[in-house]
Amino acid sequence: MSLTLQLGIIVGYLLLALAVGLVAYRLTDRTAEDFYLASRTFGTIVLLFTTFATLLSAFTFFAGPNIAYQQGPEWILVMGLMDGLIFAILWYVIGYKQWLLGRAYGYVTLGEMLGDRFASRRLRGLVAGVSLLWLFPYVMLQQVGAGTALQALTDGAVPYAVGAGLITAFMILYVVIAGMRGIAWTDTLQGVFMLITTWVALLWVLAAVGGPTAATSTLADTDATATFLSLGSAYYTPQWMLSTAITIGFGVAMFPQVNQRFFAAGSKTVFKRSFALWPILCVLLFVPSFMLGVWARGLEVTIPAGDNVLPAVLAEYTPIWFAALVIAGAMAAMMSSSDSMLLSGSSYFTRDLYRPFIDQQLAARREDMLARVGVVIFATAAFAASLWNPATLFELGDAAFSGFAQLALPVLVALYWRRTTRAGITAGIAVSQAFYLSSLFLAVVPAAYLGWTSGIVGMGLGLVVTVVVSLLTSPAADERRAIYFDGLSAD
Amino acid sequence: MRRLELGGWAVIALVLCGLAIPWFLWGSATVVAGLPLWLWWHIGWMGLASIVFWLFTKRAWGIGIETDATDSSEDHRSTPPSRSANGGEQP
């Protein structure tokens, strides 16, 4: 019963998404800019929820509550600081400036924006290459997750390879048809859906156990969780909380599918409204979702090994149809995050690698075509890798946020400091990436420094190298030093 | 004055980030209405952040980013003061 219901809901959801995609397709101009950015037309709700859903969907439902279940509710503070504040401030500092520049000069990707300013094809290729290095394994992890979830859901009736393959095929179909506009619309539906179901789930569980006070008091009764409520622990040290919040907060802003949304806003007003609503939206989703994870621990909900906490809580306290609805929605959300990543990955590949290095004369119409081919190649390659699931890729995907965070400070310096030189930013990006990659794979480079992670140390290194090398070198003659500063205005 | 204002907003941003985690309640396990006190602080603080962000969009949006189109000299590093409330319309 539950299986049929869950599969039915998932299939129903996919059909709904496909219908949305078809409507979006009918509205689409056949240009790469429309395919990637919906021609920069998003309104407040769509921009807010598409960023929100892309960023937080699967994580908020699965990994987040799992961490809260294991380690305590401090995770809400880390996520609130990281997404609600640090990312919101970057939304203005990086995002708004990028949006203005994108509108003025027609940029579609981060690499394009930097390559133009520093008159450097290599820098453009480097930024795209680094981004794809982290994005590819991250997409692969999503496919691994989806394949595993389908296999578990159907008790092995749908084997892993078939499940992951079906999902990949659907994602390709959907992205190729719908483009950014369709993806953003389904994201919006999903974001609203997640917010509502999380609160319904919370109220349902609390009603069943007799309110928050009763639920929280169960935590104090168990030895393992007796210290859950006091702020801080051996796991949640100040250094760890700050390192995590800062690296992930900055990393998110450089994640291609999030960074590209900075270019897609329709107007200044859209930016302003989304900015002001962001912290509230984050807290509205994080508190119920992660507290469910925490309370599950106190209520001694048993979690089968390798399973997620939230589905188990729902199964215990809410009707089966509701649990199925939430799980199906969460799985769909996982796919929609991957959709956005595929689209951005393809745009980085076609615009920053294929066009500048292989075919500079690419016509707009052909680029639109190539963008869709790029989606197919990217998704298929990630699927192939997910079948093989090599340890190196797994580790890269797991560290993707910190990897992207290494890009953030050199980019910020370039955006706000005229003296930045081509050599400076290139060295800053190359050195911090090299350092962070070595800390992952080479035993001689430690992963922690007095409790601070190598991710945050690498960010500092990238900042210092960018500034020092910029001071030591003079700008190349063809750099366009003024374009990030002069005549920038929204009107 | 614009520079001073920019500095002021930067300080506000740092304070908002710095106190999102209530360090002064470190180790405290006080529970109020079913949730730890430090979590209530965080919830309230995020609400406050939204209000501050909203005020920023009303009063200072564009600061540090939007520039006057006449500023084109290479060595002119600071943004010229802008008169309009939202940071310099294009002339």
Side-chain angles (χ1 to χ4, degrees):
Chain A
M1 162 62 193
S2 140
L3 175 63
T4 332
L5 193 64
Q6 268 181 338
L7 284 180
I9 289 173
I10 291 177
V11 171
Y13 177 83
L14 294 185
L15 291 178
L16 178 70
L18 212 53
V20 172
L22 283 171
V23 175
Y25 183 74
R26 291 175 55 106
L27 289 177
T28 299
D29 300 330
R30 301 290 173 266
T31 62
E33 194 177 12
D34 198 75
F35 184 58
Y36 290 138
L37 296 181
S39 299
R40 306 176 204 269
T41 55
F42 286 164
T44 308
I45 299 292
V46 172
L47 184 70
L48 194 62
F49 277 99
T50 184
T51 311
F52 196 60
T54 304
L55 198 62
L56 302 168
S57 48
F59 191 83
T60 311
F61 268 103
F62 294 131
N66 292 353
I67 297 177
Y69 177 89
Q70 295 293 343
Q71 308 289 351
E74 285 93 332
W75 186 243
I76 299 172
L77 304 181
V78 179
M79 290 284 286
L81 174 59
M82 145 202 326
D83 283 320
L85 294 176
I86 294 179
F87 177 69
I89 291 168
L90 295 177
W91 178 263
Y92 177 74
V93 176
I94 296 181
Y96 182 56
K97 187 147 191 175
Q98 264 190 238
W99 176 72
L100 287 173
L101 288 166
R103 257 190 9 153
Y105 300 100
Y107 304 139
V108 169
T109 66
L110 179 67
E112 200 173 347
M113 185 181 87
L114 294 169
D116 191 37
R117 150 74 175 82
F118 291 98
S120 171
R121 208 169 51 149
R122 277 202 202 126
L123 176 63
R124 184 173 177 175
L126 175 69
V127 171
V130 163
S131 302
L132 290 175
L133 171 75
W134 298 107
L135 187 68
F136 182 81
Y138 196 78
V139 170
M140 185 201 79
L141 285 192
Q142 307 293 311
Q143 284 162 320
V144 172
T148 317
L150 263 186
Q151 190 179 19
L153 195 66
T154 57
D155 272 333
V158 178
Y160 168 75
V162 177
L166 279 176
I167 282 173
T168 307
F170 179 82
M171 287 193 316
I172 291 175
L173 179 71
Y174 186 69
V175 176
V176 166
I177 290 178
M180 180 66 133
R181 189 174 281 112
I183 289 177
W185 286 352
T186 41
D187 278 351
T188 306
L189 284 178
Q190 253 163 34
V192 175
F193 172 83
M194 285 195 325
L195 203 54
I196 295 173
T197 48
T198 309
W199 276 94
V200 173
L202 180 82
L203 296 176
W204 219 312
V205 171
L206 285 181
V209 302
T213 310
T216 299
S217 66
T218 60
L219 287 167
D221 299 342
T222 324
D223 281 344
T225 56
T227 57
F228 255 37
L229 296 172
S230 77
L231 179 56
S233 66
Y235 180 79
Y236 293 114
T237 64
Q239 290 96 323
W240 185 86
M241 288 169 90
L242 284 174
S243 291
T244 308
I246 294 171
T247 47
I248 300 187
F250 278 82
V252 161
M254 292 291 122
F255 236 102
Q257 78 278 14
V258 174
N259 187 275
Q260 213 160 26
R261 276 165 172 68
F262 292 151
F263 289 125
S267 72
K268 180 156 100 170
T269 313
V270 166
F271 249 96
K272 287 184 180 179
R273 287 191 189 138
S274 323
F275 173 72
L277 286 171
W278 193 259
I280 296 257
L281 195 59
C282 285
V283 97
L284 274 179
L285 188 62
F286 295 160
V287 172
S289 151
F290 301 156
M291 281 314 290
L292 277 175
V294 174
W295 282 325
R297 183 70 180 270
L299 296 166
E300 292 173 349
V301 175
T302 44
I303 316 290
D307 249 7
N308 292 302
V309 171
L310 208 61
V313 180
L314 294 175
E316 182 121 358
Y317 292 101
T318 67
I320 193 157
W321 63 266
F322 181 76
L325 195 68
V326 175
I327 302 314
M331 270 192 66
M334 211 148 109
M335 285 174 58
S336 101
S337 299
S338 307
D339 287 348
S340 311
M341 289 183 233
L342 282 181
L343 189 66
S344 303
S346 154
S347 73
Y348 276 43
F349 173 74
T350 48
R351 288 190 82 93
D352 298 338
L353 294 174
Y354 186 89
R355 206 165 70 163
F357 292 97
I358 297 172
D359 180 5
Q360 296 195 27
Q361 309 303 321
L362 195 62
R365 187 76 196 220
R366 282 228 29 223
E367 189 184 342
D368 177 53
M369 187 62 210
L370 188 70
R372 292 175 156 89
V373 175
V375 170
V376 178
I377 295 175
F378 195 89
T380 315
F383 170 61
S386 81
L387 292 179
W388 172 45
N389 200 3
T392 313
L393 279 184
F394 193 86
E395 208 164 329
L396 279 177
D398 231 22
F401 282 100
S402 292
F404 279 112
Q406 308 304 315
L407 282 173
L409 294 182
V411 170
L412 259 178
V413 171
L415 278 175
Y416 285 95
W417 189 45
R418 267 178 214 256
R419 289 276 327 259
T420 317
T421 65
R422 182 196 296 168
I425 184 169
T426 311
I429 292 175
V431 169
S432 57
Q433 290 293 331
F435 168 79
Y436 186 63
L437 281 169
S438 332
S439 80
L440 284 183
F441 293 109
L442 299 181
V444 287
V445 183
Y449 301 79
L450 301 174
W452 300 89
T453 61
S454 58
I456 200 160
V457 173
M459 285 174 73
L461 188 65
L463 175 68
V464 170
V465 170
T466 308
V467 172
V468 170
V469 175
S470 290
L471 286 173
L472 293 177
T473 52
S474 43
D478 51 353
E479 284 188 32
R480 302 171 68 191
R481 300 177 69 191
I483 62 171
Y484 284 179
F485 300 93
D486 296 342
L488 268 193
S489 159
D491 304 289
Chain B
M1 281 332 280
R2 196 76 177 155
R3 283 206 100 138
L4 203 64
E5 202 189 336
L6 182 61
W9 283 111
V11 170
I12 291 175
L14 276 177
V15 171
L16 276 180
C17 290
L19 287 175
I21 299 172
W23 307 106
F24 53 89
L25 290 174
W26 199 258
S28 149
T30 314
V31 172
V32 178
L35 292 179
L37 180 62
W38 51 261
L39 188 53
W40 285 116
W41 166 275
H42 179 73
I43 295 169
W45 194 254
M46 298 299 272
L48 176 74
S50 261
I51 295 171
V52 172
F53 285 179
W54 177 77
L55 278 176
F56 176 80
T57 67
K58 291 287 161 203
R59 289 160 174 259
W61 188 266
I63 194 170
I65 293 180
E66 291 177 11
T67 52
D68 204 88
T70 50
D71 170 36
S72 57
S73 60
E74 275 288 347
D75 55 343
H76 191 128
R77 240 163 275 154
S78 68
T79 307
S82 172
R83 300 283 160 233
S84 92
N86 51 9
E89 315 292 82
Q90 201 140 29

